[in-house]
Amino acid sequence: DAKTTQPPSMDCAEGRAANLPCNHSTISGNEYVYWYRQIHSQGPQYIIHGLKNNETNEMASLIITEDRKSSTLILPHATLRDTAVYYCIVRVGHSGYSTLTFGKGTMLLVSP
Amino acid sequence: EAGVVQSPRYKIIEKKQPVAFWCNPISGHNTLYWYLQNLGQGPELLIRYENEEAVDDSQLPKDRFSAERLKGVDSTLKIQPAELGDSAVYLCASSLDGAVGGEQYFGPGTRLTVT
């Protein structure tokens, strides 16, 4: 699976949008971009995934550049409960069979 | 729907002692994973099961670690003997074959401290 690069930490004010970047310049055509997050003392939680098109669900939006070399996870109205480590992962296919390879992620701190 | 259940949540043991962790996946999920997470790092896969078969155990240190998933449901991960460097969080996850997103659902983990 392709490697990803994320900033180690980011800050965001409560109620504002949090934009978390991820670089995956060596991504292959059959690799999907996944985002998970891990709140303190909990296991990772799936957020969203995409291949080429932008995606949105109840938790977040995923913007993937046209060349697919980078992406941005957007939390439109961050709350204190969004404070967590966010992992950007690229993986072949999207079945449960392919491995999730976690990096160190981005520690997002949402402040009042 | 109940999530992935793990027990115990915390375990403190002395080095050279054995320890075991238990995981009950989400009902109907036939793929089960064990991950190791060191402080400040992301989780690393130890072993993956498809039903009762271990299909990827390449990262499992087989000299001291063992795992089983009898009947393709619950799973147990064992360390014998434990070493100081085994102090970490052990996470269990499960997923549903063929699911469109292939998401993995994680339990809360077992935090192991070896003294």
Side-chain angles (χ1 to χ4, degrees):
Chain A
D1 290 344
K3 291 185 177 180
T4 61
T5 303
Q6 298 178 254
S9 63
M10 294 184 64
D11 295 324
C12 180
E14 187 178 22
R16 304 296 294 269
N19 297 283
L20 292 92
C22 179
N23 181 284
H24 32 77
S25 58
T26 60
I27 193 170
S28 300
N30 63 346
E31 288 181 315
Y32 288 69
V33 180
Y34 275 75
W35 286 83
Y36 279 72
R37 75 178 182 183
Q38 188 171 22
I39 295 170
H40 183 63
S41 294
Q42 297 183 21
Q45 175 192 24
Y46 166 82
I47 301 173
I48 198 168
H49 76 282
L51 181 63
K52 298 180 184 178
N53 301 321
N54 299 336
E55 303 288 343
T56 295
N57 62 20
E58 64 279 4
M59 290 183 68
S61 295
L62 174 60
I63 307 299
I64 303 174
T65 58
E66 192 170 344
D67 62 7
R68 303 208 324 123
K69 293 185 177 182
S70 65
S71 61
T72 301
L73 179 75
I74 300 172
L75 308 178
H77 305 287
T79 71
L80 299 180
R81 288 173 293 183
D82 292 322
T83 291
V85 177
Y86 287 76
Y87 297 100
C88 171
I89 300 165
V90 293
R91 65 192 288 206
V92 174
H94 58 280
S95 76
Y97 298 119
S98 62
T99 302
L100 287 176
T101 302
F102 291 84
K104 293 186 178 182
T106 295
M107 175 65 217
L108 175 68
L109 177 62
V110 182
S111 302
Chain B
E1 177 181 280
V4 175
V5 179
Q6 291 188 248
S7 68
R9 287 296 314 276
Y10 304 92
K11 188 73 175 180
I12 301 174
I13 62 170
E14 294 183 347
K15 63 182 180 182
K16 301 185 181 180
Q17 294 301 305
V19 65
F21 315 122
W22 176 80
C23 173
N24 184 251
I26 293 173
S27 178
H29 283 194
N30 56 329
T31 304
L32 183 146
Y33 313 77
W34 283 101
Y35 288 84
L36 163 71
Q37 185 170 26
N38 288 304
L39 188 64
Q41 307 292 319
E44 302 170 38
L45 181 69
L46 288 173
I47 189 168
R48 173 168 64 90
Y49 281 93
E50 299 293 339
N51 299 302
E52 63 274 10
E53 182 182 359
V55 296
D56 183 358
D57 63 355
S58 58
Q59 301 305 311
L60 189 72
K62 300 181 183 62
D63 56 338
R64 297 183 300 107
F65 286 65
S66 64
E68 62 182 11
R69 192 184 182 196
L70 301 176
K71 301 181 181 179
V73 181
D74 308 28
S75 178
T76 302
L77 178 68
K78 298 178 181 178
I79 308 175
Q80 183 170 8
E83 298 179 351
L84 294 176
D86 296 331
S87 294
V89 175
Y90 292 82
L91 292 160
C92 179
S94 68
S95 65
L96 181 62
D97 286 354
V100 174
E103 304 95 279
Q104 294 181 20
Y105 295 83
F106 286 79
T110 296
R111 181 175 296 277
L112 174 67
T113 301
V114 182
T115 63

